[in-house]
């Protein structure tokens, strides 16, 4: 165990060195009531005559694209729409989007939706600049290394932060694997935050995607890769989410709360794209893979338990985040500050009808989930305290329906 811990930490320190010296690009940010009009101007300025909008069928059906279509039309920007992206985008989705882009003579991409359309659009754009490299060959880190065509990201949920991350996950139905493609060039060139787009999100989706964003901020903040920039972004995100998530949940048409949640998610994305996530995500990914538990829901349920499992190793940072997030103005001991923070997460879950367990979780699968979470979590995430398989099983026992 000690030797394992030592090697994990060595890797975290090496990566920290890389993060410190590698400049991470930021997307240009467009926001406000007239964000879509500003986007049209930006596309004109970039000299594009036609763009491909990558999205999913549901968003088209509920009319969420109507506004952007009108605005692009008025600005004389032609567009084609690829709307077949599946909830877990596949290689076929990527190839079809790429083919449409070529057939229609497009010159740039608009990723429009939650994480799935965004991931599909990112990898399709990568295939445009790397026509001879298959999606499977792009799996891993820095396999593209070539500037993408102009890429505009318009999130329609406040959670994934995909508009400001340089990773994408594509499913390979042949092997039933999810492949992560990670490369700085996948960072969207422009992130467009349009508060009106999230006004119709149902309360439960608002709650779970918002808790996903909160998890991004917290895991980035308490890990070992919390460089100064990361701390700043994570603190901003935590405060915005704490102050607005309940209002966005219970009064979805409150534009100000929606706008603040969009910014919270954006800043949380800026934090975790530099500092990575942690064990909450490692376990949640595997609950998603095995039972299709929605990502945000799994994170929300796991978050208080994992934070508690870190014990005193996370107390100081959680206490500081409790202050930065506006929960308290000071604390007498880090333990007290951390407990207030964790209780706040529990209270939020309760108020937003998020359960404290995962109903799909079965005893017989715990060993496998723990093993995979151990593998994923300890291969990359710079967590405050190293946990092992037996610790993950303990956490899983706590989130099992009693
Ligand atoms: Zn997440």
């Amino acid at each position: 165990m000690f030797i394992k811990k030592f090697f994990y930490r060595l890797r975290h320190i090496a990566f920290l060195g890389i993060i410190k010296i590698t400049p991470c690009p930021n997307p240009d940010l467009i926001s406000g009531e007239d964000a879509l009009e500003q986007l049209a101007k930006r596309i004109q300025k970039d000299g594009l005559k036609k763009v491909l909008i990558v999205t999913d069928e549901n968003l088209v059906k509920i009319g969420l694209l109507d506004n952007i279509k009108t605005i692009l039309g008025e600005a004389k920007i032609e567009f084609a729409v690829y709307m077949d992206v599946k909830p877990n985008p596949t290689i076929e989705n990527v190839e079809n989007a790429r083919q449409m882009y070529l057939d229609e003579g497009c010159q740039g991409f608009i990723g429009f939706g939650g994480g799935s359309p965004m991931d599909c659009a990112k990898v399709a754009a990568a295939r445009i600049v790397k026509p001879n490299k298959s999606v499977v060959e792009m799996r891993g880190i820095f396999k593209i290394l070539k500037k993408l065509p102009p890429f505009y990201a318009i999130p329609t949920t406040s959670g994934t932060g995909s508009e400001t991350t340089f990773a994408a996950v594509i499913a390979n139905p042949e092997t039933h694997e999810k492949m992560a493609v990670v490369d700085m060039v996948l960072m969207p060139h422009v992130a467009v935050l349009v508060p009106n787009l999230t006004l119709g999100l149902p309360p439960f989706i608002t709650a779970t995607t918002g808790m996903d964003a909160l998890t991004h901020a917290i895991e980035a903040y308490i890990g070992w890769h919390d460089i100064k920039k990361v701390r700043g972004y994570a603190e901003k995100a935590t405060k915005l989410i704490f102050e607005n998530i309940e209002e966005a949940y219970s009064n979805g048409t409150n534009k100000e709360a929606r706008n603040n949640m969009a910014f919270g998610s954006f800043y949380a994305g800026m934090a975790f794209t530099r500092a990575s996530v942690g064990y909450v995500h490692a376990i949640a990914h595997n609950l998603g893979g095995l039972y299709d538990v929605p990502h945000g829901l799994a994170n929300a349920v796991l978050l208080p338990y994992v934070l508690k499992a870190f014990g005193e190793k996370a107390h100081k940072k959680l206490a500081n985040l409790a202050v930065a997030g506006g929960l308290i103005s000071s604390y007498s001991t880090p333990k007290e500050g951390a407990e207030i923070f964790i209780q706040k997460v529990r209270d939020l879950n309760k108020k937003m009808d998020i359960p404290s367990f995962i109903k799909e979780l079965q005893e017989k699968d715990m060993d496998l989930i723990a093993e995979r979470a151990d593998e994923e979590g300890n291969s990359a995430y710079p967590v405050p305290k190293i946990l092992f398989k037996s610790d993950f099983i303990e956490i899983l026992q706590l989130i099992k329906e009693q």
Side-chain angles (χ1 to χ4, degrees):
M1 292 266 191
F2 177 78
I3 293 178
K4 263 193 185 173
K5 252 188 206 178
F6 177 74
F7 278 108
Y8 294 153
R9 283 313 188 196
L10 263 189
R11 192 156 46 197
H12 296 153
I13 292 166
F15 264 99
L16 179 60
I18 296 171
I19 291 167
K20 278 186 173 166
I21 55 169
T22 316
C24 175
N26 281 345
D28 294 339
L29 180 62
I30 290 178
S31 64
E33 289 286 328
D34 63 340
L36 291 176
E37 282 85 358
Q38 291 181 58
L39 170 66
K41 280 193 190 129
R42 169 66 188 253
I43 295 173
Q44 283 172 332
K45 199 175 132 226
D46 290 343
L48 311 191
K49 301 240 172 330
K50 188 164 186 176
V51 291
L52 181 69
I53 302 176
V54 179
T55 187
D56 69 50
E57 208 181 348
N58 284 336
L59 299 178
V60 179
K61 270 191 194 151
I62 60 169
L64 220 55
L65 256 80
D66 296 352
N67 214 1
I68 185 171
K69 283 183 179 171
T70 310
I71 290 167
L72 290 177
E74 281 167 4
K76 308 255 178 308
I77 298 163
E78 286 183 60
F79 56 86
V81 181
Y82 177 76
M83 57 176 193
D84 293 334
V85 181
K86 299 225 171 81
N88 290 311
T90 60
I91 296 176
E92 194 187 355
N93 287 154
V94 171
E95 294 305 329
N96 291 345
R98 169 182 174 261
Q99 199 54 52
M100 187 182 262
Y101 181 96
L102 296 172
D103 292 346
E104 296 278 342
C106 298
Q107 299 158 305
F109 283 86
I110 294 181
F112 186 97
S116 309
M118 223 68 95
D119 284 2
C120 177
K122 283 178 185 176
V123 182
R127 288 279 293 119
I128 295 295
V129 294
K130 286 279 186 184
N132 298 322
K133 200 165 207 169
S134 70
V135 177
V136 174
E137 288 166 338
M138 287 179 181
R139 181 183 196 165
I141 299 175
F142 299 134
K143 299 284 174 63
I144 307 162
L145 297 170
K146 201 167 174 192
K147 195 170 184 271
L148 301 191
F151 193 106
Y152 314 91
I154 310 178
T156 58
T157 60
S158 297
T160 66
S162 310
E163 70 277 13
T164 180
T165 65
F166 48 78
V169 178
I170 302 296
N172 184 348
E174 275 176 29
T175 59
H176 299 285
E177 272 180 307
K178 284 189 173 180
M179 304 179 298
V181 182
V182 182
D183 194 311
M184 297 264 192
V185 298
L186 293 180
M187 177 68 84
H189 303 126
V190 183
V192 189
L193 305 185
V194 191
N196 287 2
L197 289 177
T198 60
L199 295 182
L201 273 186
F204 194 67
I205 308 283
T206 303
T208 51
T209 50
M211 290 306 282
D212 181 28
L214 181 66
T215 309
H216 295 154
I218 298 171
E219 294 207 295
Y221 190 86
I222 62 174
W224 276 30
H225 292 170
D226 63 324
I227 52 172
K228 199 171 162 211
K229 246 187 186 171
V230 166
R231 284 199 295 274
Y233 293 138
E235 286 174 354
K236 259 189 204 172
T238 305
K239 191 163 196 301
L240 282 167
I241 296 167
F242 276 162
E243 287 175 354
N244 293 280
I245 191 167
E246 282 176 77
E247 176 63 15
Y249 170 78
S250 55
N251 182 13
T253 53
N254 182 331
K255 269 193 195 175
E256 199 189 332
R258 290 295 195 182
N259 197 38
N260 287 335
M261 284 303 291
F263 273 90
S265 169
F266 175 76
Y267 287 126
M270 302 268 266
F272 92 86
T273 206
R274 289 166 172 81
S276 194
V277 283
Y279 291 142
V280 177
H281 273 77
I283 305 172
H285 287 153
N286 288 294
L287 292 171
L290 211 57
Y291 308 120
D292 268 335
V293 180
H295 177 68
L297 173 63
N299 277 343
V301 173
L302 282 159
L303 185 56
Y305 297 106
V306 174
L307 294 181
K308 193 140 193 344
F310 287 138
E312 61 178 12
K313 295 272 186 198
H315 283 169
K316 186 95 203 297
K317 284 184 176 173
L318 287 176
N320 288 343
L321 202 52
V323 175
L327 299 185
I328 45 177
S329 52
S330 63
Y331 51 85
S332 50
T333 63
K335 185 168 186 255
E336 177 212 53
E339 275 168 4
I340 291 171
F341 189 95
I342 296 171
Q343 191 55 43
K344 171 75 179 179
V345 175
R346 283 198 204 101
D347 292 346
L348 279 180
N349 278 348
K350 201 164 180 199
K351 281 184 191 158
M352 298 190 297
D353 273 328
I354 293 173
S356 56
F357 56 86
I358 298 289
K359 66 176 190 309
E360 292 87 348
L361 178 58
Q362 292 182 35
E363 188 91 39
K364 68 173 174 57
D365 299 326
M366 285 191 190
D367 207 63
L368 179 70
I369 297 170
E371 201 172 294
R372 288 184 178 169
D374 182 7
E375 224 171 70
E376 177 183 331
N378 285 326
S379 68
Y381 303 153
V383 289
K385 180 184 174 186
I386 305 272
L387 301 180
F388 293 99
K389 191 177 157 187
S390 57
D391 304 306
F392 293 116
I393 290 184
E394 268 177 43
I395 292 170
L396 289 168
Q397 288 291 356
L398 294 170
I399 60 157
K400 190 173 162 287
E401 191 170 8
Q402 302 301 325

